[in-house]
Amino acid sequence: MTSHTISAPAQHTDAFADAFESYDDLPERLIGYPAVFHALGIGSCAVRTVLDYGCGPGKVATRVVEASDARVIAVDRSPRMLEIARTRRPHPRIDYRATEDGGLGSLADGSVDAAMACFVFTTTGDIADLHDIAAEAHRVLRPGGRFAVLDADPRTAGIRFSTFRSGEPGRVYTKGERRRSRRELPGGEAPLETFDHHWPCQTYLDVLGKAGFTDLDVHEPVLTHRSTLLGGDPAEAGHPPFLVVSGVR
């Protein structure tokens, strides 16, 4: 990685980490994470080691080991997020690691089979940081390994999905502009309101392409089967809540 240090997202406070832990990531686990796992080939014998960059409280890493025999290197810069992950989601095949500057200096070149960054780009406000994240993912991937980025879909900003909304209804956002984000919390708790950043789909393609990724793919998954958990007419059935952009090392 270059000497540039990736700035810590404002959300990486203890209070945010605790509230985020209580968020029910239902649309993500029904729609978003399966799309990422499919893009990366998680569950196949070719993917033995997975990097989860920006692992948060360990929810996605746990789903990787539940869905496959792979080992996960789960990296985050928030001490509280990692504390939650290690306490509530320990697993012999998950190696939780801290990074102070956003880099992956503890990982050798070509040492992982697949890499993902879930809801990391959208919480990052400096495009230089996005380039550094993608460059590090490219470095640690083996040749032929794939990197996937999962975020709220910028083309459906402002739409109220089952548990979250990224952006205000009716607003048109410019590249990198801050958007108010709202996540519903269970048990009558006040919603979790923060800010994320609006990156158009082309930004993801440009960032991955500049890092050296090829065979770039864009996927905007929607709910393909009805789930009573999301109610009778969920927005996720007609509008893609998530964007998955991936590329090959």
Side-chain angles (χ1 to χ4, degrees):
M1 184 175 237
T2 68
S3 58
H4 177 75
T5 297
I6 298 172
S7 3
Q11 290 96 322
H12 277 190
T13 64
D14 287 2
F16 175 83
D18 291 337
F20 186 74
E21 164 64 11
S22 66
Y23 168 67
D24 182 3
D25 58 348
L26 181 58
E28 290 86 346
R29 67 176 186 261
L30 290 178
I31 305 167
Y33 302 146
V36 170
F37 293 2
H38 177 76
L40 296 180
I42 289 175
S44 72
C45 59
V47 178
R48 306 300 303 168
T49 304
V50 177
L51 168 67
D52 181 6
Y53 185 96
C55 66
K59 294 181 180 181
V60 188
T62 299
R63 292 188 176 104
V64 172
V65 296
E66 289 173 348
S68 72
D69 294 326
R71 180 172 70 95
V72 181
I73 301 170
V75 177
D76 205 279
R77 63 182 307 150
S78 165
R80 178 58 182 155
M81 288 286 197
L82 289 170
E83 180 185 7
I84 293 171
R86 289 169 176 147
T87 301
R88 302 187 184 181
R89 297 179 183 88
H91 193 282
R93 284 189 280 116
I94 302 177
D95 177 8
Y96 292 111
R97 300 186 187 184
T99 173
E100 293 184 1
D101 63 358
L104 299 171
S106 64
L107 290 179
D109 295 1
S111 58
V112 302
D113 299 315
M116 58 184 176
C118 299
F119 306 106
V120 173
F121 278 37
T122 193
T123 60
T124 303
D126 187 340
I127 196 166
D129 291 346
L130 302 185
H131 285 294
D132 280 351
I133 292 167
E136 277 289 81
H138 189 273
R139 179 184 68 78
V140 302
L141 271 169
R142 64 165 173 77
R146 186 172 281 273
F147 175 46
V149 178
L150 169 67
D151 268 334
D153 195 319
R155 291 193 267 239
T156 54
I159 291 179
R160 172 70 167 84
F161 292 105
S162 299
T163 60
F164 75 93
R165 187 188 71 211
S166 290
E168 302 288 349
R171 281 283 306 276
V172 176
Y173 292 90
T174 58
K175 180 179 176 180
E177 185 177 355
R178 291 208 316 166
R179 303 179 306 206
R180 186 179 296 276
S181 172
R182 175 187 175 104
R183 292 180 177 88
E184 303 298 331
L185 299 182
E189 294 183 62
L192 176 60
E193 293 195 354
T194 57
F195 287 92
D196 60 21
H197 298 271
H198 183 83
W199 297 114
C201 180
Q202 189 59 47
T203 299
Y204 293 82
L205 293 169
D206 292 344
V207 167
L208 266 63
K210 185 174 180 180
F213 289 101
T214 59
D215 190 24
L216 299 180
D217 180 75
V218 175
H219 184 38
E220 296 172 285
V222 295
L223 187 68
T224 56
H225 58 280
R226 294 293 178 174
S227 170
T228 56
L229 298 174
L230 293 180
D233 188 24
E236 290 87 345
H239 304 279
F242 307 114
L243 174 72
V244 180
V245 181
S246 63
V248 173
R249 159 82 159 82

